[in-house]
Amino acid sequence: MKNQTINSIVSWIERFSVNNPFVRGFGSGDTGYFNADVMKYPFLWVSPMGSIFTLDSNNTGIIFEFNILIMDRVNYIQDKDNELDIISDSTQVAQDLIFLLRRDGEFKVNSASVKTAYQGASTSNNKEVGVILQLQIKAPYIACITPEIIPTP
């Protein structure tokens, strides 16, 4: 098994988004870098949230934590909107992502939860809705890849 990193996981999720018929835009990093004016909708945004190292002798590994936004802009037509459709579609994308991560076998999904997410004013035409997928991926802790430097006396 190769060494798994935050970069390799985000790259895998980006490939997933490119091949998903619902997703048109992709980005990663802190949500503060998100720019609604240039993002294609619906989009998938990955934010690495941290790592947990398990170092006991029986269960050595790293758990990478991510928040993944799957969002779209709400369309209003004659006092009706597609908000529920977006939440349903976004939840399906989250389910597909979890299924494929688990099926691929390269990554072990440690836990996942999906919550509804809203951005923007509730009455504006710039309202975004979707889901936040909170994902933990466990990876084996592989030996140090930094060259060992032994001080000379």
Side-chain angles (χ1 to χ4, degrees):
M1 180 174 280
K2 67 181 181 179
N3 194 28
Q4 296 166 347
T5 64
I6 292 171
N7 279 337
S8 65
I9 296 168
V10 171
S11 293
W12 192 100
I13 295 171
E14 182 176 15
R15 286 191 305 277
F16 164 83
S17 73
V18 167
N19 292 309
N20 187 287
F22 179 78
V23 178
R24 292 198 180 100
F26 177 84
S28 64
D30 189 299
T31 54
Y33 295 117
F34 175 76
N35 185 343
D37 295 331
V38 295
M39 183 57 76
K40 292 181 180 177
Y41 288 83
F43 69 85
L44 189 147
W45 186 274
V46 180
S47 295
M49 301 306 291
S51 305
I52 301 168
F53 293 86
T54 56
L55 302 174
D56 61 67
S57 60
N58 296 329
N59 198 17
T60 302
I62 303 169
I63 297 174
F64 297 109
E65 297 182 316
F66 298 90
N67 280 350
I68 302 171
L69 291 170
I70 305 164
M71 308 282 283
D72 198 0
R73 281 205 168 135
V74 176
N75 294 320
Y76 296 94
I77 300 170
Q78 298 176 349
D79 296 330
K80 293 184 180 184
D81 62 53
N82 63 335
E83 190 171 305
L84 189 58
D85 293 334
I86 293 170
I87 292 169
S88 179
D89 291 346
S90 298
T91 301
Q92 185 61 56
V93 171
Q95 288 174 316
D96 293 348
L97 176 60
I98 294 164
F99 174 81
L100 292 172
L101 277 168
R102 293 179 75 200
R103 188 194 70 184
D104 188 51
E106 188 173 344
F107 307 109
K108 180 180 183 288
V109 177
N110 200 50
S111 72
S113 66
V114 176
K115 298 177 181 172
T116 304
Y118 299 91
Q119 291 184 172
S122 61
T123 58
S124 92
N125 287 336
N126 290 328
K127 180 178 177 184
E128 298 160 350
V129 67
V131 298
I132 298 174
L133 170 60
Q134 295 173 318
L135 187 64
Q136 288 187 339
I137 295 176
K138 184 169 185 179
Y141 184 71
I142 297 180
C144 180
I145 61 171
T146 303
E148 184 176 353
I149 300 172
I150 302 173
T152 55

